[in-house]
Amino acid sequence: MSLDDQKYSAAIPLSRRAFVQTSAIGGLAVAAGGVSLPFGTANAQDVAVPDSEATKTVWSACTVNCGSRCPLRMHVVNGEIKYVETDNVGEDVYQELHQVRACLRGRSMRRRIYNPDRLKYPMKRVGKRGEGKFKKISWEEAYDEIANNLKRIIKDYGNEAVYLQYATGTLGGTVTRSWPPGNSLIARLMNCCGGYLNHYNTYSTAQITTGLSYTYGSSAGNSTSDIENSKLVVMFGNNPAETRMSGGGITYILEQAREISNTKMVVIDPRYCDTAAGREDEWLPITPGTDAALVAGMAYVLITENLVDQPFLDKYCVGYDEKTLPASAPRNGHYKAYILGQGDDGIAKTPEWASKITAIPADRIIKLAREIGFAKPAYICQGWGPQRHANGEMVARSIATLACLTGNVGISGGNTGAREGSYAIPFVRFPTLENPIKDSISFFLWTDAIVRGPEMTATRDGVRGTDKLKQPIKFIWNYAGNSMVNQHSDINSTMKILEDDTKCEMIVVIDNHMTASARCADIILPDLTTSEQMDFCLDASSGNMGYVIFADQAIKPQFECKSIYEMTTEIAKRMGVEQQFTENRTQEEWLRHLYQQSCENDALLPSFEEFRKMGIIKRQDPAGHFIAHKAFRENPVANPMNTPSGKIEIYSERLATVAKTWELPEGDVISPLPIHVSTFEGSDDPLREKYPLQLIGFHYKARCHSTYGNVDVLKAAALQEMWINPIDAAERGISNGDMIRIFNDRGESQINAKVTPRMIPGVVALGEGAWYTPDAKGIDRAGSINVLTTLRPSPLAKGNPQHTNLVEVAKV
Ligand SMILES: Nc1nc2c(c(=O)[nH]1)N[C@H]1C(S)=C(S)[C@@H](COP(=O)(O)OP(=O)(O)OC[C@H]3O[C@@H](n4cnc5c(=O)[nH]c(N)nc54)[C@H](O)[C@@H]3O)O[C@H]1N2
Ligand SMILES: Nc1nc2c(c(=O)[nH]1)N[C@H]1C(S)=C(S)[C@@H](COP(=O)(O)OP(=O)(O)OC[C@H]3O[C@@H](n4cnc5c(=O)[nH]c(N)nc54)[C@H](O)[C@@H]3O)O[C@H]1N2
Ligand code: SF4
Ligand SMILES: [Mo]
C-alpha cells in the first residue's frame, strides 16, 4: 500500500520523510564533544547524516500516565542516550496532523533512565518490612521465592487473597502496559493460575465515573476541538495546561478552537491555575467541595428567569420536575422542587444561599447563570479536581445537570458537563485472558482489605461480584505503581498496615526506581525502561487527532534489569503455565502478531517495518469532532442512554434504593438528586476550629504523580511549594519562601511557602506526587501531600477524597 494515499501521510511529505528517518544528528553533537550543534533549530531534520554503527536516532516514547503520550527521538551514541528530541513530523497547522511535542518531563527521560535511584538487580528484604534494607539476589532466587510464596498463598487462602495493585507507571505501553492492572501481563499470568481479587474505579475518576454512571450511564464528553462551534466555555476545576501538557495535549486545541469561535472562557477553580493564567476571560475562585452549591445557585436563576431548556428536559430527562418524576419518588422529590425550596429541606437555593457556601459573590453567580443560559451552545466541562472530594459524586452529577438544564447534551459545540472526549486509533491489545474470580473491591479500599477483608460487604464497603470478601489480601503484585505508599492516602497509617508482615504476607514490587513503595517490598524486580525494549505506545489522542507511537529499543538493558515479559514468563514456567502464558512467542513476535491483527481491522495502517521507521502514525477522527450522546439526542428511542430508563436521570431511582439500603458512616449522604452536601473535613466542618485551612492537591508539571519526581533539573525548574494566600500567610507570620509545617492529626510535612494571590483565602494547595521523605521523627521533608490525606472513602464510589483535607500551617 502506498503511503501517499493515506491520511496519516499528511504528517510529512514523502520526499522529506525518508530524509528524517535516516538523519543522525545525535552523532554530530557528540563528535563535537557534547557541544550542541543545530538540534533545536527548525531545520534540524534536514541535516542529512546517515546513522552509523556508533550513532543512531531511535523513536521511543514516554508512556507515563499524564493523559498525553509523547514520541521521543533518542540520539544514541555508543549505546548511550546522549540527547532526547521529540516529534519532528507534521505541520503546526491547526486541524492538520500537528506535531506531538514532549513536555519538560519527557525531554528529561535520560535522567530517569540513568538515575542514581535506578534499581539494578533483584533484591530481597532483610530488615523489617518498610525499613528499606535489602540484599542482592539472583534472578533464579527471586523467581523461585515469588513462585513458591504464590503457590503457598493460593493453597492456604485461595486466589482471592492475591491482589494487583493500582499502578499507572507505564499505562501507555502494550506489552509493558501496567493499567488497568487487569490488562497487564501480571493479570495474564494470574489468570493462567486461577485468578486474583479485582478492583474497580481509579484514583483518577472514582467519583465522576460512579456519579455519572447514574446520570448518563457514561462519562463521555465532546472533543475539545468541538469548541470551534461553542459560544462559551465553562471549566470547573480543569487545568489542561498542566495536566495535558504535550503537543498532543489539549491546550493547543483549546486555544485554536477558541480562536475560531472567538469564545469566552470562564475558569472555576480555588487556584488561579496555569490554564487560566492570562488566557481566561474570567476566573471564579471557589471554596473547594462546593461546586454543587454553585450549580444549584445558577439553577435557581435559570429556573426563575425561564432560561432552562424545558423541551429538552421533558423529552430526554427524568426527574427535573413533576412531569418526569418516577412514580416511586416522593412528590416533592424532583430537582426543581429542591432548587426552589419546595423539597424536604425547605431551602431555596438562591444565589445568595450559594454565595455563602462557595465564597463567590451572588451577582457573579447570577451573571454566569445568565451567560450560560443565553450562550447556545455552551461547552460546560469539569476536570477531575472537583470530584476528587468527599462529596465528589454529587459535584460531578451537579455539573452534568447544569449541561442538561441548558440543553447542551448531544449537540455540536455543547458538552455533557464531563471531561473532554477525544479520538484514539483503535489497536489490538495484548490479550490478558479472563479472570475466573469476580470478587472486586474499590481500588481505594485495599488497605482495608488487608486489615479486615472478610468483614467487607457489598452494602457497607461497596464490594462487588460477591456479598462479602472471602479472604484478606495476602499477596500484592505492584508493577509500575507507587500507590502502595506515595500516592495512597494517609501514608503513616498505610505504612503501619504494610509493616506487619503477618497481615499481607508477600509484596512484590517491579519498578525502575527505589520508590517509597519499593521500600515496602519483600522482593524487588528491576524492570527495563521503555527505551530498553520494543513496544507500541497506544491510546494516544489529541482532541480529534489520534496517534500511535512505535517505541523501539534504543539502548541495551542496563545493569541486570529484565523486561516484564521475561519476568512473567519465568514465573509462569515455575507455576507450570509457561506455554499457555507465552503461546510460544517472544516479545517482538507478540508485537508483530498484535500489529498484524490491528492491520486486519484497519486497512489504513502501514506495514510493521514502515511504522517502525515512521515512529508515529497520526489520524484525524474520520467522524469529525466527537460529540457525546449525539445519537441519543437525534433519536432517544432508538439510541437510549445506558440507564434503567434509557434517559438522562437527574433523579435516579437506583440511587434512591442505594440510599435506603447501604450502611453509611455518620455524615455520609447518598441522594437520588444531585444536591449540595456538606462533608467531613469540608468548608463547614467544626474541625476547622482546630485545622482552619482546607488543603487541596493538584497535578503538577514537575512530575507525573511521583514519576520523574527524582529528576534534579525538573525539581529545580518547578519547585515543590505550598500555595497560600497572602492574608492567611500574614496571619501566621509567613513570608514567601519560608519553611513551613503543614499538619493535622494524621501527619506533618514541611516545605517552603509560595505566598500568592493565585490561591483563594482559607485554602492551601500542594502539588501531589512529591517523594515521601520522612526524617527520624517521621515528619515528611518533601511536601508529600499524602501524609495529610485520609483513608475514609467517599460515600458512593468508595473513592479517594484526596482534595478534601483540613490542616493548620505554621512557620518552622
Ligand atoms: N493526594 C493525592 N494523591 C493522589 C492524587 C491526587 O490528586 N492527590 N492523584 C491520584 C491519581 S489521579 C493517580 S492516577 C495516582 C497515580 O499513582 P501511580 O499510578 O502509583 O503513579 P506514579 O506515582 O507515577 O507511580 C508510577 C510508578 O511506576 C514506575 N514506572 C514508570 N515507568 C515504569 C516502567 O516502565 N516499568 C516499571 N516497572 N515501572 C515504571 C515509576 O517509577 C513509579 O514508581 O495517584 C493518586 N494519588
Ligand atoms: N503534569 C501532570 N499532568 C498530569 C498528571 C500529573 O501528575 N502531572 N496526572 C494525570 C492524571 S493520572 C490525572 S487523573 C489527571 C488529573 O487531572 P485533574 O484531576 O483534573 O487535576 P487536578 O490538578 O487534581 O485538578 C484540576 C483542578 O481542579 C482544582 N480543584 C480542586 N478542588 C476543586 C474544587 O472543589 N472545585 C473546583 N472547581 N476546582 C477544584 C485544582 O486546583 C486544579 O487546578 O492529570 C493527568 N495529568
Ligand atoms: S509526561 Fe506526558 S506530556 Fe510529558 S512527555 Fe511524557 S507523555 Fe508527554
Ligand atoms: Mo489519575
Side-chain angles (χ1 to χ4, degrees):
M1 177 203 312
S2 151
L3 286 178
D4 295 40
D5 53 7
Q6 306 309 334
K7 202 158 184 200
Y8 56 70
S9 67
I12 186 160
L14 191 60
S15 55
R16 254 175 80 201
R17 189 182 307 120
F19 214 53
V20 172
Q21 285 150 7
T22 52
S23 70
I25 41 192
L28 282 179
V30 176
V35 180
S36 39
L37 282 173
F39 280 127
T41 60
N43 294 324
Q45 63 263 45
D46 295 334
V47 182
V49 178
D51 280 351
S52 69
E53 273 303 295
T55 70
K56 56 181 179 175
T57 313
V58 183
W59 285 94
S60 182
C62 177
T63 59
V64 300
N65 177 20
C66 73
S68 298
R69 312 272 182 272
C70 294
L72 300 175
R73 283 164 51 248
M74 301 302 195
H75 294 258
V76 182
V77 181
N78 294 327
E80 190 185 336
I81 298 170
K82 290 283 188 186
Y83 198 89
V84 180
E85 279 191 303
T86 186
D87 190 12
N88 63 348
V89 296
E91 305 302 327
D92 270 350
V93 179
Y94 181 58
Q95 290 306 10
E96 294 294 327
L97 300 172
H98 64 265
Q99 292 187 358
V100 177
R101 296 188 196 141
C103 79
L104 69 168
R105 299 179 296 276
R107 288 168 196 247
S108 74
M109 180 66 95
R110 51 184 294 282
R111 294 171 195 264
R112 194 145 74 79
I113 298 166
Y114 302 117
N115 195 283
D117 292 324
R118 184 82 197 259
L119 297 168
K120 301 183 179 65
Y121 31 74
M123 288 194 282
K124 181 179 172 165
R125 166 168 74 90
V126 288
K128 286 203 304 214
R129 180 165 312 136
E131 221 179 20
K133 291 195 184 135
F134 296 93
K135 69 169 184 187
K136 180 181 173 182
I137 55 174
S138 69
W139 276 101
E140 295 299 308
E141 204 181 333
Y143 295 142
D144 288 343
E145 183 93 6
I146 292 168
N148 291 340
N149 276 288
L150 194 53
K151 283 182 201 158
R152 174 182 64 80
I153 286 170
I154 291 174
K155 182 167 151 285
D156 292 352
Y157 304 99
N159 285 72
E160 289 89 348
V162 179
Y163 186 65
L164 274 54
Q165 185 60 272
Y166 177 91
T168 66
T170 177
L171 91 171
T174 300
V175 175
T176 60
R177 184 183 198 181
S178 66
W179 184 89
N183 291 350
S184 68
L185 288 183
I186 307 286
R188 183 175 168 94
L189 169 68
M190 287 313 303
N191 289 337
C192 295
C193 303
Y196 59 91
L197 175 64
N198 297 288
H199 68 238
Y200 63 86
N201 274 346
T202 69
Y203 285 90
S204 310
T205 62
Q207 288 89 324
I208 190 171
T209 303
T210 303
L212 296 193
S213 75
Y214 289 93
T215 308
Y216 294 124
S218 105
S219 302
N222 288 29
S223 160
T224 316
S225 57
D226 192 34
I227 286 172
E228 271 178 41
N229 303 305
S230 304
K231 295 275 160 49
L232 176 70
V233 175
V234 183
M235 299 242 214
F236 288 83
N238 193 11
N239 183 19
E242 202 156 350
T243 60
R244 301 286 184 260
M245 270 183 92
S246 85
I250 60 162
T251 314
Y252 169 73
I253 313 258
L254 175 68
E255 288 312 303
Q256 298 290 322
R258 278 180 64 207
E259 206 158 284
I260 291 174
S261 53
N262 194 20
T263 348
K264 174 173 174 176
M265 177 166 81
V266 180
V267 173
I268 301 159
D269 196 310
R271 284 187 320 131
Y272 186 62
C273 63
D274 287 9
T275 302
R279 278 178 289 259
E280 91 296 0
D281 296 286
E282 191 170 5
W283 170 43
L284 288 181
I286 186 170
T287 299
T290 69
D291 297 73
L294 170 61
V295 170
M298 291 199 284
Y300 186 91
V301 178
L302 293 168
I303 292 169
T304 54
E305 299 188 4
N306 260 329
L307 290 171
V308 294
D309 187 337
Q310 189 72 43
F312 177 84
L313 293 162
D314 292 344
K315 184 171 175 190
Y316 297 98
C317 303
V318 168
Y320 165 66
D321 58 17
E322 62 281 354
K323 274 183 275 174
T324 55
L325 189 65
S328 65
R331 280 195 56 196
N332 64 348
H334 51 86
Y335 188 72
K336 192 173 173 183
Y338 164 72
I339 296 297
L340 296 180
Q342 296 150 1
D344 283 348
D345 67 2
I347 299 170
K349 308 302 176 307
T350 61
E352 292 72 25
W353 168 88
S355 175
K356 288 199 191 91
I357 297 169
T358 58
I360 300 175
D363 58 345
R364 290 183 79 180
I365 297 175
I366 296 167
K367 183 169 157 267
L368 180 60
R370 288 178 185 155
E371 273 176 314
I372 294 174
F374 283 114
K376 300 276 175 218
Y379 189 93
I380 300 168
C381 72
Q382 59 185 307
W384 298 328
Q387 59 90 49
R388 204 170 291 109
H389 280 274
N391 56 2
E393 298 92 338
M394 293 291 198
V395 169
R397 288 168 63 214
S398 294
I399 298 169
T401 302
L402 180 62
C404 298
L405 292 174
T406 47
N408 277 304
V409 181
I411 56 171
S412 178
N415 192 15
T416 57
R419 191 160 197 160
E420 63 280 347
S422 48
Y423 168 70
I425 303 177
F427 251 64
V428 176
R429 310 296 315 225
F430 209 112
T432 47
L433 311 174
E434 198 176 318
N435 184 1
I437 292 174
K438 301 299 160 212
D439 306 17
S440 183
I441 58 170
S442 154
F443 70 96
F444 189 54
L445 295 188
W446 60 272
T447 17
D448 286 65
I450 292 176
V451 179
R452 56 178 189 95
E455 289 166 24
M456 290 172 68
T457 69
T459 53
R460 195 176 49 224
D461 306 288
V463 168
R464 296 184 185 170
T466 174
D467 292 340
K468 197 169 166 289
L469 285 195
K470 297 176 186 65
Q471 293 292 350
I473 291 172
K474 290 289 177 185
F475 187 114
I476 295 180
W477 283 107
N478 188 79
Y479 164 53
N482 203 357
S483 292
M484 231 171 34
V485 178
N486 214 78
Q487 299 305 111
H488 192 49
S489 290
D490 195 350
I491 289 180
N492 291 316
S493 300
T494 299
M495 286 296 289
K496 284 207 183 74
I497 293 167
L498 292 175
E499 275 161 13
D500 183 349
D501 61 9
T502 65
K503 289 203 174 87
C504 180
E505 296 176 14
M506 182 85 187
I507 298 175
V508 178
V509 170
I510 305 168
D511 206 293
N512 306 128
H513 295 130
M514 183 54 94
T515 63
S517 297
R519 289 171 64 86
C520 289
D522 298 305
I523 299 282
I524 300 179
L525 303 180
D527 196 12
L528 300 183
T529 63
T530 310
S531 308
E532 292 153 80
Q533 59 193 318
M534 183 194 283
D535 205 1
F536 302 140
C537 178
L538 304 186
D539 289 340
S541 56
S542 177
N544 58 346
M545 183 181 88
Y547 57 96
V548 288
I549 305 164
F550 196 117
D552 212 341
Q553 181 177 3
I555 51 170
K556 283 213 281 287
Q558 301 293 293
F559 312 105
E560 291 177 30
C561 300
K562 289 193 190 294
S563 69
I564 186 67
Y565 188 64
E566 181 170 347
M567 292 179 215
T568 42
T569 300
E570 285 294 327
I571 296 165
K573 189 188 285 175
R574 285 159 177 80
M575 300 298 286
V577 295
E578 184 186 8
Q579 209 281 325
Q580 190 190 355
F581 181 80
T582 63
E583 297 179 21
N584 300 322
R585 290 190 187 93
T586 63
Q587 179 158 342
E588 182 170 338
E589 283 164 357
W590 267 109
L591 285 165
R592 287 179 181 275
H593 169 70
L594 297 173
Y595 192 71
Q596 176 61 35
Q597 290 184 325
S598 296
C599 289
E600 280 160 21
N601 300 335
D602 185 344
L604 295 180
L605 292 176
S607 73
F608 184 89
E609 295 305 337
E610 276 171 308
F611 180 22
R612 189 173 192 175
K613 276 189 226 146
M614 292 166 69
I616 182 165
I617 300 172
K618 304 171 189 173
R619 190 186 293 166
Q620 293 280 348
D621 186 348
H625 305 293
F626 178 70
I627 297 164
H629 308 304
K630 184 166 182 271
F632 167 76
R633 182 80 187 242
E634 283 162 3
N635 187 343
V637 179
N639 311 299
M641 284 282 176
N642 186 20
T643 56
S645 63
K647 294 190 175 184
I648 299 170
E649 301 197 348
I650 296 176
Y651 180 98
S652 164
E653 285 184 287
R654 276 187 300 168
L655 280 177
T657 306
V658 172
K660 278 196 206 107
T661 49
W662 280 25
E663 284 170 67
L664 293 173
E666 206 183 315
D668 276 18
V669 180
I670 293 176
S671 161
L673 284 180
I675 61 176
H676 168 71
V677 286
S678 300
T679 69
F680 59 87
E681 299 195 43
S683 56
D684 55 356
D685 188 329
L687 187 65
R688 280 192 88 168
E689 277 170 31
K690 187 174 176 196
Y691 297 119
L693 296 167
Q694 288 184 275
L695 165 71
I696 57 169
F698 62 93
H699 290 238
Y700 192 30
K701 59 193 157 217
R703 299 175 292 273
C704 180
H705 310 292
S706 70
T707 307
Y708 287 104
N710 53 347
V711 173
D712 49 4
V713 291
L714 293 177
K715 281 195 205 174
L719 301 177
Q720 181 69 5
E721 299 163 312
M722 191 205 70
W723 293 37
I724 183 168
N725 183 277
I727 299 170
D728 296 317
E731 274 174 16
R732 291 165 179 79
I734 295 169
S735 307
N736 193 38
D738 280 352
M739 180 56 68
I740 51 165
R741 315 169 45 213
I742 318 156
F743 57 97
N744 60 20
D745 290 339
R746 291 180 288 269
E748 175 173 334
S749 181
Q750 297 186 358
I751 198 76
N752 303 95
K754 174 189 174 96
V755 179
T756 172
R758 289 177 64 177
M759 197 70 225
I760 190 174
V763 185
V764 294
L766 268 175
E768 62 98 334
W771 282 39
Y772 168 58
T773 311
D775 65 13
K777 289 192 207 138
I779 294 169
D780 167 65
R781 295 302 194 98
S784 188
I785 188 171
N786 284 320
V787 296
L788 300 160
T789 51
T790 177
L791 290 173
R792 179 169 171 180
S794 67
L796 177 65
K798 304 299 173 198
N800 48 328
Q802 284 172 310
H803 293 348
T804 303
N805 314 284
L806 291 180
V807 297
E808 178 54 299
V809 169
K811 207 165 147 168
V812 170

